[in-house]
Amino acid sequence: MAQVKIYGLRSTLERHRTGLSEAIHAAVMAALEYPIEKRFHRFIALDPVDFIYPDDRSQHYTIIEISLFEGRSVQAKKNLIRLLFQYIGEHTGICAQDVEITLFETPRLNWGIRGLPGDELGLNYTVEV
């Protein structure tokens, strides 16, 4: 399971929503061997007054938070981060300087999905990649 939150200025997210979603999902599928149908993206569009960031970032500054079941290898997580930077640049033109990514891993038992604790779910993909 991977739940993705994308934060940015409203104007940036409105302009790049589709490209960001495509780039993020492609990276997750490639790095984590994720099924195509498992896309969970939430866009949190902020007004300038609500999104304060450093002067060395542009109006395209974007924060991506991904919540994951624990169990992925260090290599898979590093690959995911590298692919996110690459694919976001290719799909949107947003440069790596304007993207920050955080991965949050939690045990499957801390998730509740489709009426069950996450560790009791049957998955159609492997977590240990």
Side-chain angles (χ1 to χ4, degrees):
M1 178 60 71
Q3 293 278 345
V4 183
K5 295 179 196 172
I6 303 103
Y7 300 87
L9 288 174
R10 185 173 312 282
S11 59
T12 296
L13 295 185
E14 286 174 358
R15 179 176 175 196
H16 296 292
R17 182 182 328 270
T18 300
L20 282 165
S21 185
E22 292 298 322
I24 291 165
H25 195 55
V28 169
M29 287 191 308
L32 305 182
E33 301 176 15
Y34 225 60
I36 194 168
E37 71 275 5
K38 299 289 184 185
R39 186 186 305 226
F40 301 96
H41 299 171
R42 289 171 284 171
F43 287 85
I44 296 112
L46 301 164
D47 294 321
V49 69
D50 297 318
F51 195 42
I52 300 166
Y53 49 86
D55 291 337
D56 65 344
R57 306 306 195 277
S58 79
Q59 74 276 10
H60 298 298
Y61 179 60
T62 303
I63 298 172
I64 299 169
E65 296 179 349
I66 303 176
S67 297
L68 305 162
F69 290 159
E70 67 182 357
R72 275 67 180 210
S73 68
V74 169
Q75 185 58 41
K77 291 180 282 188
K78 287 185 174 191
N79 192 33
L80 173 60
I81 289 169
R82 286 184 181 100
L83 288 174
L84 284 165
F85 285 124
Q86 177 187 339
Y87 292 171
I88 288 169
E90 291 171 1
H91 282 80
T92 68
I94 297 173
C95 69
Q97 174 70 14
D98 280 331
V99 177
E100 290 190 20
I101 302 160
T102 307
L103 305 179
F104 296 95
E105 290 185 288
T106 56
R108 285 177 58 178
L109 64 91
N110 289 349
W111 292 66
I113 302 166
R114 298 188 309 267
L116 293 172
D119 62 339
E120 296 177 15
L121 281 175
L123 302 174
N124 63 346
Y125 59 94
T126 302
V127 173
E128 293 80 13
V129 294

